[in-house]
Amino acid sequence: MTQQNDLIETIVEGIQERKGKSITHVDMTGIEWVATQHFIICTGTSTMQVSAIADSVREYVQEHAGVKPYNYDGYQNSQWIVLDYGTIYVHVFLPEYRDLYKLEQLWSDAKITDIPDLD
């Protein structure tokens, strides 16, 4: 397992710590012109949960992998928060914003893996 795969797994665990749902891994490593290699996308049920999931990922990844995001944005309204880990972007959405932006469809030529919810 690579360091990148370990980081993806740790990010998913951080999402699951706060009951993030509909987790999807979009692997864009086979696409030449993309700005990043991976998206991890998930959904929270409220703005409070979206913020809590993003906080959990930041704290969990720093604690378990020693990695901080390069940047993050979206806490102002917590409808869509993105965390930038360089080659991995984490997107935490409210359901209606995930439906609106349809990142999985936008990157449909990537390898898309749905991760089962824990409950």
Side-chain angles (χ1 to χ4, degrees), residues 30-55:
I31 304 171
E32 287 182 33
W33 43 268
V34 294
T36 190
Q37 296 177 349
H38 301 272
F39 281 169
I40 305 297
I41 305 167
C42 72
T43 305
T45 57
S46 66
T47 56
M48 189 177 292
Q49 189 188 20
V50 167
S51 294
I53 292 167
D55 287 344

Side-chain angles (χ1 to χ4, degrees), residues 12 15 19-26 39-46 49-50 53 77-81 89-107 112-117:
V12 169
I15 292 168
K19 309 286 190 246
K21 300 291 184 200
S22 304
I23 304 170
T24 302
H25 173 207
V26 180
F39 281 169
I40 305 297
I41 305 167
C42 72
T43 305
T45 57
S46 66
Q49 189 188 20
V50 167
I53 292 167
N77 54 26
S78 296
Q79 298 164 340
W80 173 12
I81 296 176
Y89 287 5
V90 182
H91 299 272
V92 186
F93 283 104
L94 283 176
E96 58 269 29
Y97 288 88
R98 186 169 181 173
D99 291 343
L100 178 67
Y101 291 103
K102 298 180 184 348
L103 293 184
E104 294 95 332
Q105 290 178 10
L106 183 64
W107 297 103
I112 297 175
T113 305
D114 293 323
I115 298 164
D117 292 341

Side-chain angles (χ1 to χ4, degrees), residues 3-4 7-8 11 26 28-29 34-40 57-58 61 67-73 82-91:
Q3 259 189 325
Q4 194 165 39
L7 184 55
I8 289 167
I11 288 166
V26 180
M28 298 175 286
T29 54
V34 294
T36 190
Q37 296 177 349
H38 301 272
F39 281 169
I40 305 297
V57 169
R58 289 171 46 210
V61 170
V67 178
K68 290 181 181 181
Y70 293 108
N71 207 347
Y72 49 87
D73 194 23
V82 63
L83 307 172
D84 174 2
Y85 285 96
T87 58
I88 305 165
Y89 287 5
V90 182
H91 299 272

